[in-house]
Amino acid sequence: MARKPDEHGDKGDDATAHWQKRSAGNKALTKPRSRRGGGRPTIADVARKAGVGAITVSRALRDPERVSEDLRRQIQAAVDELGYVPDPNARALASARAEVFGVLVPSLTNNVFAEVVRGIYDSLSDGPFRVQLGNTHYSGLEEERLLQVFGPQRPAALIVAGVDQTPTARKLLESAGCPVVQVMETGPNPVDMLVGFSHFEGGRAATEHMIEVGYRRIGFIGARMDPRSQRRLAGYRAATEAAGLFDPRLVTTTPVPSSVTLGRELFRDALAKMPTLDGVFCNNDDIALGVLFECHRAAIAVPKSIGIVGFNDLDMMQSAFPSITSVRTYRYEIGRRSVAMALAAIAGKRPEQRVVDLGFELIRRESTAR
Amino acid sequence: MARKPDEHGDKGDDATAHWQKRSAGNKALTKPRSRRGGGRPTIADVARKAGVGAITVSRALRDPERVSEDLRRQIQAAVDELGYVPDPNARALASARAEVFGVLVPSLTNNVFAEVVRGIYDSLSDGPFRVQLGNTHYSGLEEERLLQVFGPQRPAALIVAGVDQTPTARKLLESAGCPVVQVMETGPNPVDMLVGFSHFEGGRAATEHMIEVGYRRIGFIGARMDPRSQRRLAGYRAATEAAGLFDPRLVTTTPVPSSVTLGRELFRDALAKMPTLDGVFCNNDDIALGVLFECHRAAIAVPKSIGIVGFNDLDMMQSAFPSITSVRTYRYEIGRRSVAMALAAIAGKRPEQRVVDLGFELIRRESTAR
DNA sequence: TTGTATGCGTTATCAA
DNA sequence: TTGATAACGCATACAA
């Protein structure tokens, strides 16, 4: 039952848009009273009304402490009456610094980064800072390009996902002239500040858990395989090798973007390649869910015949049947923390810890309850 | 197995950040050579190097047609050599128009809006426009506040989710002085332009399908219940009433944000309230998945004992076991289309159709295969 | 604590 | 087609 109506226009409206109408009668107003159509009040208007200098208004708005009680009140009254709002562009131009946080993430729809971004937004919604969000599509080149676009804007801070910037990107970050926070990972050489956790350790902990509860032919299934997934795989490998359980044929990966459906397919592949498989550590929760569904469909008992572990601990992991063991990470908190650190740096109080590891937690559930 | 390492600072680094170092030796350079530390090349530098006026450089960059072949080449050479990039803030100030799309969505993590946003970003990544994203948290007041913040920036266009703006918000949109596109819904009185689909018809189609295949005690389960969900519910009600099947006790809703876990709980509630339930139309796919999991857990046969229909058709619907019937919507395409319409309006070619209905499609799957 | 002069980098206006 | 001049709205530097 598809419903895709023909597109229909409005009844004959003239070609002029509502928002263009205003430019109609403005022709011969002789007075060179600004090119702007809007005629929004400026700081000068406020100053005049309050009977003070423009700079005093500017100060009263940005740093009330530095203006006497009296004037502050007069100015506030004038501001309210006129409905004055500072022009962020003029402000940025004059101060050589925009009240903007540049944020670069590899994906907008991947829930993991969406959570980080949400944390950033929530932390910034109070203050004067806007957010300039960029989608790198998991591409280093895109990242470079976006950094080049962000630069001229003179952002107040930069928050970027990951620690694997290209040399060019890294150089751009270092010369950005503002605090930089790398998020979602830990690593040895932060450009400036860093908040995240160890994907390697997360992968290792997940795998060790499976070994501990008795799984012996544990596969790794991973999609997209970005640097973070590579590190989870490395953690998996470290754990299986330590237990003498590693076998390259147990590893199934693809650069294809992750999805539940892909999880099903990869699991089928893995099983075909390695019929004795008795457990899988998945790249992420979508893949894990796909594995679970495929097990249902193929009537493979979970956790008895196959154990499953995911990564990130999305809400659905706890509700799945059986519920799925996963590595819980603190994405929202990472977003919040990154802003807090940047804000501190902007305020001149650089945080003592430039590297913050928020850790993770393995949540054991039915999918590995042997 | 939690791993939450103590936070550790860097080895004693002085309090000065890398990005502040540069301000060190700039003290007595006597020459009032700009307050800016960076000393990035300006349009004047390019003009000098190319031996032309600044305004010609400006024109050559924005509208090459209006500059002679010769000068254009010289200017381009100078630009490349100097690595000149226009300052967006200065540009915005001088032209009274920022190359920014303001985008307002109720949630950053809800996949539905994330897809719309992704469509918007992908459509805008080529051109000069930046995106200013705002999260309204499903609140009309937040929306007003964000609109007030966006206004002074003089955005080139505004894209907002939904058609239920408060009167104040609507006024702000109308007086924004730029094209406005409302997305995700259809409706009678667009502020300017509109692209979406009918949630009412989607809800009705889903319900009619369930009736058609033989379900008789069909419940509605809905979380969050934003205006779009309300319309889906209205569609459900229209269909059940038309068939003489409506009963208020079949409806289970909550303002609580949606999640898979919540889906399980609401389904339990619904079943307790109405043990004869034989099908549920869910608000969205997360809820539907929760219902499915709860059915598994309670050993309720799907689709035999209970039929399930979701909304939006996320990828996991096709992979679930059994696969879940859902109403497919075109979020990404809505995002792209909204940008295309805004861009056309900016270019002075307002699209003939100011209202675009992208429709939906009911995807029948195992969860309703009676 | 407050004000004056000036600059920020770019584009609109108008004339050539 | 090109250019000189004057905004654009605000903040810095410095003086009062």
PDB file of all heavy atoms in Angstrom, chain A residues 26 34 45 66 90 109 112-113 130 142 148-149 250 253 284 293 310 326 346 350 361 365 368:
ATOM      1  N   ASN A  26      11.152  50.431  -0.298  1.00  0.00           N
ATOM      2  CA  ASN A  26      12.303  51.048   0.343  1.00  0.00           C
ATOM      3  C   ASN A  26      13.145  51.916  -0.588  1.00  0.00           C
ATOM      4  O   ASN A  26      14.290  52.205  -0.304  1.00  0.00           O
ATOM      5  CB  ASN A  26      13.216  49.957   0.909  1.00  0.00           C
ATOM      6  CG  ASN A  26      12.920  49.749   2.383  1.00  0.00           C
ATOM      7  OD1 ASN A  26      12.050  50.411   2.919  1.00  0.00           O
ATOM      8  ND2 ASN A  26      13.639  48.851   3.007  1.00  0.00           N
ATOM      9  N   SER A  34      21.475  53.101   6.639  1.00  0.00           N
ATOM     10  CA  SER A  34      21.825  51.680   6.653  1.00  0.00           C
ATOM     11  C   SER A  34      21.307  50.917   5.440  1.00  0.00           C
ATOM     12  O   SER A  34      20.200  51.130   4.980  1.00  0.00           O
ATOM     13  CB  SER A  34      21.288  51.036   7.932  1.00  0.00           C
ATOM     14  OG  SER A  34      20.629  49.838   7.670  1.00  0.00           O
ATOM     15  N   ASP A  45      22.087  52.352  19.144  1.00  0.00           N
ATOM     16  CA  ASP A  45      20.719  52.720  19.521  1.00  0.00           C
ATOM     17  C   ASP A  45      20.518  52.563  21.020  1.00  0.00           C
ATOM     18  O   ASP A  45      19.952  53.429  21.684  1.00  0.00           O
ATOM     19  CB  ASP A  45      19.716  51.839  18.765  1.00  0.00           C
ATOM     20  CG  ASP A  45      19.801  52.046  17.258  1.00  0.00           C
ATOM     21  OD1 ASP A  45      20.094  53.189  16.846  1.00  0.00           O
ATOM     22  OD2 ASP A  45      19.598  51.077  16.507  1.00  0.00           O
ATOM     23  N   ARG A  66      31.953  44.992  35.340  1.00  0.00           N
ATOM     24  CA  ARG A  66      32.787  46.152  35.053  1.00  0.00           C
ATOM     25  C   ARG A  66      31.989  47.426  34.797  1.00  0.00           C
ATOM     26  O   ARG A  66      32.543  48.426  34.317  1.00  0.00           O
ATOM     27  CB  ARG A  66      33.680  45.879  33.844  1.00  0.00           C
ATOM     28  CG  ARG A  66      34.534  44.625  34.014  1.00  0.00           C
ATOM     29  CD  ARG A  66      35.514  44.486  32.875  1.00  0.00           C
ATOM     30  NE  ARG A  66      36.489  45.581  32.865  1.00  0.00           N
ATOM     31  CZ  ARG A  66      37.532  45.648  33.685  1.00  0.00           C
ATOM     32  NH1 ARG A  66      37.751  44.682  34.541  1.00  0.00           N
ATOM     33  NH2 ARG A  66      38.368  46.670  33.627  1.00  0.00           N
ATOM     34  N   ALA A  90      29.216  40.625  13.698  1.00  0.00           N
ATOM     35  CA  ALA A  90      29.994  41.825  14.006  1.00  0.00           C
ATOM     36  C   ALA A  90      30.891  41.565  15.209  1.00  0.00           C
ATOM     37  O   ALA A  90      32.056  41.968  15.237  1.00  0.00           O
ATOM     38  CB  ALA A  90      29.062  42.994  14.304  1.00  0.00           C
ATOM     39  N   THR A 109      24.320   9.772  11.955  1.00  0.00           N
ATOM     40  CA  THR A 109      23.241   8.845  12.268  1.00  0.00           C
ATOM     41  C   THR A 109      23.690   7.700  13.176  1.00  0.00           C
ATOM     42  O   THR A 109      22.860   7.067  13.801  1.00  0.00           O
ATOM     43  CB  THR A 109      22.655   8.255  10.972  1.00  0.00           C
ATOM     44  OG1 THR A 109      23.729   7.878  10.116  1.00  0.00           O
ATOM     45  CG2 THR A 109      21.803   9.284  10.269  1.00  0.00           C
ATOM     46  N   VAL A 112      26.130   6.257  18.368  1.00  0.00           N
ATOM     47  CA  VAL A 112      27.264   6.526  19.241  1.00  0.00           C
ATOM     48  C   VAL A 112      27.710   7.989  19.144  1.00  0.00           C
ATOM     49  O   VAL A 112      27.862   8.677  20.153  1.00  0.00           O
ATOM     50  CB  VAL A 112      28.430   5.583  18.880  1.00  0.00           C
ATOM     51  CG1 VAL A 112      29.698   6.032  19.564  1.00  0.00           C
ATOM     52  CG2 VAL A 112      28.074   4.153  19.259  1.00  0.00           C
ATOM     53  N   PHE A 113      27.874   8.459  17.949  1.00  0.00           N
ATOM     54  CA  PHE A 113      28.313   9.844  17.785  1.00  0.00           C
ATOM     55  C   PHE A 113      27.168  10.818  18.025  1.00  0.00           C
ATOM     56  O   PHE A 113      27.365  11.931  18.499  1.00  0.00           O
ATOM     57  CB  PHE A 113      28.934  10.038  16.407  1.00  0.00           C
ATOM     58  CG  PHE A 113      30.182   9.233  16.241  1.00  0.00           C
ATOM     59  CD1 PHE A 113      30.206   8.103  15.452  1.00  0.00           C
ATOM     60  CD2 PHE A 113      31.338   9.580  16.931  1.00  0.00           C
ATOM     61  CE1 PHE A 113      31.361   7.336  15.336  1.00  0.00           C
ATOM     62  CE2 PHE A 113      32.496   8.819  16.826  1.00  0.00           C
ATOM     63  CZ  PHE A 113      32.506   7.696  16.021  1.00  0.00           C
ATOM     64  N   ARG A 130      27.659  28.775  19.955  1.00  0.00           N
ATOM     65  CA  ARG A 130      26.938  27.993  18.957  1.00  0.00           C
ATOM     66  C   ARG A 130      27.759  26.762  18.617  1.00  0.00           C
ATOM     67  O   ARG A 130      28.912  26.650  19.009  1.00  0.00           O
ATOM     68  CB  ARG A 130      26.755  28.818  17.682  1.00  0.00           C
ATOM     69  CG  ARG A 130      25.823  29.995  17.818  1.00  0.00           C
ATOM     70  CD  ARG A 130      26.020  30.968  16.664  1.00  0.00           C
ATOM     71  NE  ARG A 130      27.263  31.724  16.808  1.00  0.00           N
ATOM     72  CZ  ARG A 130      27.884  32.357  15.822  1.00  0.00           C
ATOM     73  NH1 ARG A 130      27.414  32.305  14.605  1.00  0.00           N
ATOM     74  NH2 ARG A 130      28.986  33.026  16.058  1.00  0.00           N
ATOM     75  N   GLU A 142      37.982  14.349   4.121  1.00  0.00           N
ATOM     76  CA  GLU A 142      36.828  15.178   4.468  1.00  0.00           C
ATOM     77  C   GLU A 142      37.128  15.975   5.726  1.00  0.00           C
ATOM     78  O   GLU A 142      36.763  17.143   5.845  1.00  0.00           O
ATOM     79  CB  GLU A 142      35.610  14.286   4.723  1.00  0.00           C
ATOM     80  CG  GLU A 142      34.858  13.886   3.486  1.00  0.00           C
ATOM     81  CD  GLU A 142      33.932  14.989   3.018  1.00  0.00           C
ATOM     82  OE1 GLU A 142      32.975  15.314   3.709  1.00  0.00           O
ATOM     83  OE2 GLU A 142      34.201  15.558   1.943  1.00  0.00           O
ATOM     84  N   GLN A 148      39.602  23.030   7.245  1.00  0.00           N
ATOM     85  CA  GLN A 148      39.959  24.215   6.485  1.00  0.00           C
ATOM     86  C   GLN A 148      38.791  25.198   6.387  1.00  0.00           C
ATOM     87  O   GLN A 148      38.985  26.402   6.300  1.00  0.00           O
ATOM     88  CB  GLN A 148      40.421  23.824   5.070  1.00  0.00           C
ATOM     89  CG  GLN A 148      41.919  23.919   4.889  1.00  0.00           C
ATOM     90  CD  GLN A 148      42.457  22.806   4.022  1.00  0.00           C
ATOM     91  OE1 GLN A 148      41.703  21.997   3.479  1.00  0.00           O
ATOM     92  NE2 GLN A 148      43.772  22.762   3.862  1.00  0.00           N
ATOM     93  N   VAL A 149      37.604  24.649   6.383  1.00  0.00           N
ATOM     94  CA  VAL A 149      36.422  25.509   6.345  1.00  0.00           C
ATOM     95  C   VAL A 149      36.187  26.154   7.710  1.00  0.00           C
ATOM     96  O   VAL A 149      35.789  27.304   7.809  1.00  0.00           O
ATOM     97  CB  VAL A 149      35.168  24.695   5.937  1.00  0.00           C
ATOM     98  CG1 VAL A 149      33.916  25.532   6.090  1.00  0.00           C
ATOM     99  CG2 VAL A 149      35.317  24.211   4.502  1.00  0.00           C
ATOM    100  N   LEU A 250      38.665 -17.135  12.410  1.00  0.00           N
ATOM    101  CA  LEU A 250      37.571 -16.743  13.308  1.00  0.00           C
ATOM    102  C   LEU A 250      37.178 -15.279  13.116  1.00  0.00           C
ATOM    103  O   LEU A 250      36.183 -14.814  13.660  1.00  0.00           O
ATOM    104  CB  LEU A 250      37.995 -16.953  14.769  1.00  0.00           C
ATOM    105  CG  LEU A 250      38.075 -18.413  15.252  1.00  0.00           C
ATOM    106  CD1 LEU A 250      38.796 -18.499  16.580  1.00  0.00           C
ATOM    107  CD2 LEU A 250      36.670 -18.997  15.366  1.00  0.00           C
ATOM    108  N   THR A 253      35.452  -9.600   8.902  1.00  0.00           N
ATOM    109  CA  THR A 253      35.272  -8.147   8.876  1.00  0.00           C
ATOM    110  C   THR A 253      34.951  -7.660   7.481  1.00  0.00           C
ATOM    111  O   THR A 253      35.168  -8.359   6.488  1.00  0.00           O
ATOM    112  CB  THR A 253      36.548  -7.408   9.341  1.00  0.00           C
ATOM    113  OG1 THR A 253      37.590  -7.663   8.401  1.00  0.00           O
ATOM    114  CG2 THR A 253      36.970  -7.851  10.725  1.00  0.00           C
ATOM    115  N   ASN A 284      29.853  -4.011  17.259  1.00  0.00           N
ATOM    116  CA  ASN A 284      28.908  -3.081  17.871  1.00  0.00           C
ATOM    117  C   ASN A 284      27.555  -3.767  18.069  1.00  0.00           C
ATOM    118  O   ASN A 284      27.373  -4.914  17.661  1.00  0.00           O
ATOM    119  CB  ASN A 284      28.748  -1.810  17.024  1.00  0.00           C
ATOM    120  CG  ASN A 284      28.150  -2.110  15.670  1.00  0.00           C
ATOM    121  OD1 ASN A 284      27.199  -2.861  15.537  1.00  0.00           O
ATOM    122  ND2 ASN A 284      28.729  -1.512  14.628  1.00  0.00           N
ATOM    123  N   PHE A 293      19.268 -12.254  15.740  1.00  0.00           N
ATOM    124  CA  PHE A 293      18.129 -12.561  14.874  1.00  0.00           C
ATOM    125  C   PHE A 293      18.432 -13.751  13.964  1.00  0.00           C
ATOM    126  O   PHE A 293      17.573 -14.599  13.715  1.00  0.00           O
ATOM    127  CB  PHE A 293      17.757 -11.333  14.022  1.00  0.00           C
ATOM    128  CG  PHE A 293      16.997 -10.291  14.802  1.00  0.00           C
ATOM    129  CD1 PHE A 293      17.251  -8.936  14.594  1.00  0.00           C
ATOM    130  CD2 PHE A 293      16.021 -10.642  15.720  1.00  0.00           C
ATOM    131  CE1 PHE A 293      16.537  -7.963  15.298  1.00  0.00           C
ATOM    132  CE2 PHE A 293      15.305  -9.672  16.424  1.00  0.00           C
ATOM    133  CZ  PHE A 293      15.566  -8.333  16.210  1.00  0.00           C
ATOM    134  N   GLY A 310      28.061  -7.652  22.412  1.00  0.00           N
ATOM    135  CA  GLY A 310      28.037  -6.449  21.576  1.00  0.00           C
ATOM    136  C   GLY A 310      28.965  -5.381  22.114  1.00  0.00           C
ATOM    137  O   GLY A 310      29.780  -5.625  22.996  1.00  0.00           O
ATOM    138  N   SER A 326      27.047  -6.674  26.645  1.00  0.00           N
ATOM    139  CA  SER A 326      27.665  -5.624  25.835  1.00  0.00           C
ATOM    140  C   SER A 326      28.636  -4.793  26.674  1.00  0.00           C
ATOM    141  O   SER A 326      28.608  -4.844  27.911  1.00  0.00           O
ATOM    142  CB  SER A 326      26.580  -4.730  25.233  1.00  0.00           C
ATOM    143  OG  SER A 326      27.116  -3.870  24.250  1.00  0.00           O
ATOM    144  N   ILE A 346      39.236  27.789  27.668  1.00  0.00           N
ATOM    145  CA  ILE A 346      38.889  29.112  27.157  1.00  0.00           C
ATOM    146  C   ILE A 346      38.943  30.144  28.282  1.00  0.00           C
ATOM    147  O   ILE A 346      39.389  31.276  28.092  1.00  0.00           O
ATOM    148  CB  ILE A 346      37.473  29.093  26.536  1.00  0.00           C
ATOM    149  CG1 ILE A 346      37.482  28.289  25.236  1.00  0.00           C
ATOM    150  CG2 ILE A 346      36.986  30.510  26.272  1.00  0.00           C
ATOM    151  CD1 ILE A 346      36.108  28.014  24.678  1.00  0.00           C
ATOM    152  N   ARG A 350      43.142  25.917  32.367  1.00  0.00           N
ATOM    153  CA  ARG A 350      43.304  24.616  31.728  1.00  0.00           C
ATOM    154  C   ARG A 350      43.213  23.512  32.766  1.00  0.00           C
ATOM    155  O   ARG A 350      43.859  23.564  33.788  1.00  0.00           O
ATOM    156  CB  ARG A 350      44.652  24.544  31.021  1.00  0.00           C
ATOM    157  CG  ARG A 350      44.715  25.429  29.807  1.00  0.00           C
ATOM    158  CD  ARG A 350      46.092  25.410  29.202  1.00  0.00           C
ATOM    159  NE  ARG A 350      46.474  24.089  28.713  1.00  0.00           N
ATOM    160  CZ  ARG A 350      45.901  23.486  27.693  1.00  0.00           C
ATOM    161  NH1 ARG A 350      44.906  24.088  27.072  1.00  0.00           N
ATOM    162  NH2 ARG A 350      46.306  22.304  27.301  1.00  0.00           N
ATOM    163  N   GLU A 361      32.274  -0.369  30.869  1.00  0.00           N
ATOM    164  CA  GLU A 361      31.877  -1.442  31.778  1.00  0.00           C
ATOM    165  C   GLU A 361      31.244  -2.578  31.007  1.00  0.00           C
ATOM    166  O   GLU A 361      30.357  -2.362  30.189  1.00  0.00           O
ATOM    167  CB  GLU A 361      30.894  -0.917  32.832  1.00  0.00           C
ATOM    168  CG  GLU A 361      30.543  -1.974  33.868  1.00  0.00           C
ATOM    169  CD  GLU A 361      29.588  -1.458  34.939  1.00  0.00           C
ATOM    170  OE1 GLU A 361      29.190  -0.275  34.859  1.00  0.00           O
ATOM    171  OE2 GLU A 361      29.227  -2.232  35.823  1.00  0.00           O
ATOM    172  N   ARG A 365      24.999 -10.342  30.386  1.00  0.00           N
ATOM    173  CA  ARG A 365      23.577 -10.655  30.265  1.00  0.00           C
ATOM    174  C   ARG A 365      23.364 -12.092  29.791  1.00  0.00           C
ATOM    175  O   ARG A 365      24.309 -12.880  29.733  1.00  0.00           O
ATOM    176  CB  ARG A 365      22.903  -9.660  29.309  1.00  0.00           C
ATOM    177  CG  ARG A 365      22.961  -8.217  29.788  1.00  0.00           C
ATOM    178  CD  ARG A 365      21.747  -7.437  29.328  1.00  0.00           C
ATOM    179  NE  ARG A 365      21.811  -6.031  29.756  1.00  0.00           N
ATOM    180  CZ  ARG A 365      22.456  -5.065  29.118  1.00  0.00           C
ATOM    181  NH1 ARG A 365      23.103  -5.343  27.992  1.00  0.00           N
ATOM    182  NH2 ARG A 365      22.462  -3.834  29.571  1.00  0.00           N
ATOM    183  N   THR A 368      25.427 -14.485  27.192  1.00  0.00           N
ATOM    184  CA  THR A 368      26.656 -15.214  27.516  1.00  0.00           C
ATOM    185  C   THR A 368      26.513 -15.930  28.859  1.00  0.00           C
ATOM    186  O   THR A 368      27.509 -16.256  29.495  1.00  0.00           O
ATOM    187  CB  THR A 368      27.877 -14.268  27.584  1.00  0.00           C
ATOM    188  OG1 THR A 368      27.618 -13.219  28.531  1.00  0.00           O
ATOM    189  CG2 THR A 368      28.190 -13.667  26.241  1.00  0.00           C
TER     190      THR A 368
END
